[in-house]
Amino acid sequence: MKNSLKGRSFLSLLDFSPEEINTLIELSGKVKEEKQKGIFPKRLKNKNIALLFEKNSTRTRCAFTVAAIDEGAHPEFLGKNDIQFGKKESVADTARVLGRMFDGIQYRGFKHETVEGLAKHAGVPVWNGLTDDFHPTQILADFLTIKEQKGYLKEIVFAFVGDGRNNMANSLMVGAAKMGMDFRIVAPKILFPDENLVNIAKEIAQETGGKISLCDDIAEGVKGADVIYTDVWVSMGEEEHFEERIKLLLPYQVNADMMAKTGKADTTFLHCLPAFHDLNTTVGLEIYEKYGIDAMEVSDEVFESENSKVWDQAENRMHTIKAVMIATLQD
């Protein structure tokens, strides 16, 4: 593959061309096939990877850890109590210290400015494992999953349903524009994404043959959808908004009725996880007891259906993250 990504940070898909995104997706497919065949080339041997987590994670932490070890690198987890962001040490100073010791840095946390600060001062590639604004490694996994299911990305009809302002909606909108998809945000108007970002995505879509639209009418928004995607209604740190979001978004729950509105039997359902689809969690039980609903953003029927590819999607986090690390670190 071309060496154009060597030394680059991966903070947002806005920074990458459609060709570069396709390169990462193709490399992801290659490394996935290698792992399935038991082939481990150890392309990152003797590399050391810092994993900075201000926000907890299952998939992001496990994906980076396994991907690094598969390729011969050593991952070092640094939780919020292990680093001094903004307390005793600035982001810039932390970045300069870690950049002297590690070959690459993953950051998962809150402010997007933090990951930008790390990238500015570290002197090594920095990868965004999630911020309040963007979640680019997740989008690569989503697009690999869609390509595996549908065979292509360009002109895919993609409906994101729910909170259109969150980091997943932002990232999917940008990524879909880059890939030339017909992307719809299906949400109450009060939860439409930032107008400036929408305009940027629309400009990108004009160049790629894609389409970006916002819609609060569910039937119109999901009609003809090849993919329906949703995310939790309340993100980490927003727990006080549960009641407000449930009242606002319950009509937008992805259920069998919504899936039927696509007019397609093979519409793929995706979710970045974790998902509130049943009563098998403490939070799920608390929601049931307080609000009388047994699921939030997606019904258990859809989540557990043949159309649901959430486990392929979760696994693909590992393969796509591995591809990002190889592409930006490999000598």
Side-chain angles (χ1 to χ4, degrees):
M1 63 175 287
K2 294 180 180 179
N3 206 29
S4 63
L5 300 182
K6 176 73 162 52
R8 296 265 300 274
S9 287
F10 190 69
L11 309 184
S12 165
L13 293 181
L14 286 168
D15 304 327
F16 289 78
S17 69
E19 293 74 24
E20 289 169 335
I21 296 170
N22 266 320
T23 294
L24 289 170
I25 293 171
E26 289 172 6
L27 179 57
S28 301
K30 175 186 174 183
V31 300
K32 181 174 183 176
E33 184 177 354
E34 287 174 347
K35 187 175 177 74
Q36 290 172 338
K37 292 179 178 178
I39 300 171
F40 298 96
K42 305 295 182 183
R43 284 159 288 214
L44 301 180
K45 186 177 180 182
N46 296 327
K47 301 289 188 184
N48 289 287
I49 309 299
L51 303 179
L52 276 59
F53 281 79
E54 286 190 307
K55 269 190 176 183
N56 294 334
S57 169
T58 299
R59 280 148 294 278
T60 301
R61 179 177 178 178
C62 294
F64 268 100
T65 300
V66 174
I69 292 171
D70 276 356
E71 289 297 329
H74 170 76
E76 182 68 27
F77 175 82
L78 297 168
K80 62 182 180 181
N81 295 322
D82 301 315
I83 48 181
Q84 305 294 331
F85 276 151
K87 299 175 183 176
K88 296 181 180 179
E89 191 167 50
S90 68
V91 171
D93 289 357
T94 301
R96 286 180 282 208
V97 170
L98 295 179
R100 295 294 184 99
M101 300 182 183
F102 292 91
D103 300 286
I105 300 168
Q106 182 277 161
Y107 169 78
R108 178 182 174 93
F110 296 91
K111 295 180 180 179
H112 194 71
E113 306 92 85
T114 302
V115 77
E116 290 177 328
L118 287 168
K120 180 179 180 180
H121 296 285
V124 298
V126 173
W127 311 298
N128 180 3
L130 176 142
T131 63
D132 289 344
D133 293 342
F134 296 109
H135 196 1
T137 59
Q138 177 67 55
I139 287 11
L140 291 181
D142 300 339
F143 286 2
L144 176 60
T145 308
I146 294 169
K147 192 170 184 180
E148 289 172 340
Q149 293 300 314
K150 308 299 183 183
Y152 60 96
L153 294 175
K154 190 173 178 62
E155 298 183 354
I156 282 287
V157 180
F158 192 130
F160 178 88
V161 182
D163 183 358
R165 306 174 307 168
N166 71 12
N167 49 17
M168 282 307 308
N170 288 345
S171 299
L172 286 166
M173 180 168 61
V174 170
K178 294 272 186 177
M179 296 294 100
M181 297 180 183
D182 177 352
F183 182 78
R184 300 105 176 249
I185 296 278
V186 186
K189 290 180 180 178
I190 196 173
L191 295 180
F192 279 0
D194 177 75
E195 186 176 355
N196 290 331
L197 186 61
V198 173
N199 290 335
I200 291 170
K202 285 183 175 180
E203 289 177 7
I204 295 169
Q206 285 182 342
E207 299 175 1
T208 63
K211 182 181 178 183
I212 304 296
S213 58
L214 312 179
C215 180
D216 63 351
D217 184 285
I218 296 168
E220 178 185 344
V222 305
K223 183 179 180 180
D226 299 302
V227 177
I228 287 184
Y229 196 118
T230 194
D231 189 12
V232 293
W233 292 341
V234 180
S235 298
M236 191 180 298
E238 295 185 331
E239 287 77 8
E240 72 273 14
H241 296 298
F242 259 116
E243 184 170 358
E244 166 195 334
R245 294 289 173 80
I246 288 171
K247 289 179 179 178
L248 193 59
L249 288 171
L250 195 55
Y252 292 83
Q253 182 189 77
V254 181
N255 50 38
D257 181 59
M258 182 184 291
M259 295 293 284
K261 284 181 168 65
T262 67
K264 294 186 174 183
D266 63 346
T267 297
T268 297
F269 171 73
L270 296 179
H271 192 305
C272 54
L273 303 180
F276 293 114
H277 63 96
D278 58 23
L279 301 179
N280 292 328
T281 64
T282 301
V283 175
L285 285 170
E286 289 175 353
I287 291 169
Y288 177 74
E289 291 171 359
K290 191 169 184 178
Y291 305 109
I293 57 173
D294 57 8
M296 289 181 66
E297 69 275 8
V298 57
S299 69
D300 195 55
E301 180 182 9
V302 170
F303 188 86
E304 298 291 356
S305 71
E306 292 183 359
N307 296 70
S308 175
K309 303 302 175 185
V310 297
W311 309 123
D312 294 336
Q313 189 184 1
E315 178 192 337
N316 283 340
R317 290 297 308 285
M318 172 179 59
H319 306 302
T320 49
I321 282 169
K322 185 185 294 187
V324 169
M325 290 196 293
I326 292 170
T328 57
L329 287 182
Q330 187 179 17
D331 295 326

